[in-house]
Amino acid sequence: GEDVEQSLFLSVREGDSSVINCTYTDSSSTYLYWYKQEPGAGLQLLTYIFSNMDMKQDQRLTVLLNKKDKHLSLRIADTQTGDSAIYFCAENEGQNFVFGPGTRLSVLP
Amino acid sequence: DVKVTQSSRYLVKRTGEKVFLECVQDMDHENMFWYRQDPGLGLRLIYFSYDVKMKEKGDIPEGYSVSREKKERFSLILESASTNQTSMYLCASSTQDNSPLHFGNGTRLTVT
């Protein structure tokens, strides 16, 4: 079945760039998503990329998609303490969403 | 902005009680979903609905039922709560196939 994998933890210093990586298995995914979850809250849609795109930029966020390797990354420029959260990668085909386990990003002062 | 509202942030219930978790969305979305989130297990789909009075089982429907009498409201029902249903419950909605899910803030349920 479909599977989405992410590393579980990432620590960066405030002001540095963060890169969160994700691999997926379903080559028929139409969109790939990044969600952010702050403590005690639901998932907030950060950004998403259509599967025929290579890159999408939105302010401090850059999404890169390598469809051949089924690899998705999220780069956060100038990482701030408010970026500390769990980041989920997700893929879908229709309404069947598959989420990764989430990467806990810790931002050190 | 899409708003998905879950009626309670925290709930504490006793084993055997009937529990209702309510979710309302304000964007006229066709699709609504209930997930549970547990450490180490990620998000797992319990039930979803693509129209009023329609429901489909997700990956872990056992012990749960749902109700969708109105388009904007999707209720999750635990007929007889058990301790293994202690979890974070997340409601989501979307407008159509291949559109993003929009989540509520979650309900943290503890069954004692």
Side-chain angles (χ1 to χ4, degrees):
Chain A
E2 302 115 350
D3 194 21
V4 177
E5 294 186 356
Q6 305 174 236
S7 53
L8 297 182
F9 301 98
L10 176 67
S11 291
V12 299
R13 294 221 170 264
E14 193 173 10
D16 287 351
S17 292
S18 309
V19 179
I20 303 171
N21 294 300
C22 167
T23 57
Y24 62 96
T25 58
D26 187 358
S27 58
S28 61
S29 295
T30 308
Y31 288 95
L32 294 124
Y33 305 86
W34 284 105
Y35 285 86
K36 175 184 180 183
Q37 186 179 34
E38 296 181 358
L43 275 68
Q44 171 196 352
L45 178 66
L46 270 184
T47 187
Y48 59 101
I49 187 167
F50 190 50
S51 58
N52 69 355
M53 296 172 63
D54 299 324
M55 185 180 91
K56 180 178 179 182
Q57 186 147 7
D58 184 1
Q59 300 182 335
R60 292 191 298 122
L61 304 179
T62 303
V63 178
L64 295 177
L65 175 60
N66 181 328
K67 200 170 180 181
K68 174 175 165 289
D69 294 339
K70 297 180 187 170
H71 182 268
L72 182 74
S73 68
L74 174 70
R75 178 177 180 269
I76 306 172
D78 186 24
T79 312
Q80 302 298 307
T81 54
D83 295 323
S84 292
I86 302 175
Y87 291 80
F88 291 89
C89 169
E91 62 172 351
N92 78 311
E93 186 181 0
Q95 287 304 314
N96 180 28
F97 281 78
V98 180
F99 289 85
T103 299
R104 184 179 295 274
L105 174 65
S106 299
V107 182
L108 309 172
Chain B
D1 271 356
V2 175
K3 192 158 177 65
V4 180
T5 303
Q6 295 183 231
S7 54
S8 305
R9 291 298 298 272
Y10 301 95
L11 272 180
V12 180
K13 297 292 181 180
R14 292 201 179 276
T15 301
E17 278 193 79
K18 189 168 185 175
V19 182
F20 291 87
L21 303 184
E22 306 287 350
C23 175
V24 176
Q25 49 92 6
D26 67 356
M27 284 302 291
D28 202 36
H29 282 176
E30 288 80 13
N31 304 315
M32 296 189 75
F33 304 78
W34 277 105
Y35 288 86
R36 66 178 280 178
Q37 183 181 20
D38 300 287
L41 297 175
L43 274 77
R44 293 180 292 168
L45 180 64
I46 305 171
Y47 267 97
F48 68 98
S49 168
Y50 53 87
D51 202 352
V52 176
K53 297 194 186 294
M54 306 299 285
K55 61 184 179 185
E56 295 284 342
K57 292 180 180 178
D59 300 319
I60 51 161
E62 297 78 20
Y64 303 95
S65 62
V66 290
S67 172
R68 187 136 181 234
E69 295 296 317
K70 293 185 178 181
K71 191 175 186 181
E72 67 270 19
R73 186 180 296 270
F74 193 35
S75 304
L76 180 69
I77 304 152
L78 288 65
E79 294 289 341
S80 177
S82 63
T83 54
N84 64 12
Q85 292 177 309
T86 292
S87 187
M88 172 73 129
Y89 289 88
L90 295 168
C91 175
S93 71
S94 70
T95 183
Q96 60 192 25
D97 278 2
N98 293 316
S99 65
L101 294 179
H102 298 269
F103 285 86
N105 274 331
T107 297
R108 186 164 291 283
L109 173 67
T110 302
V111 183
T112 61

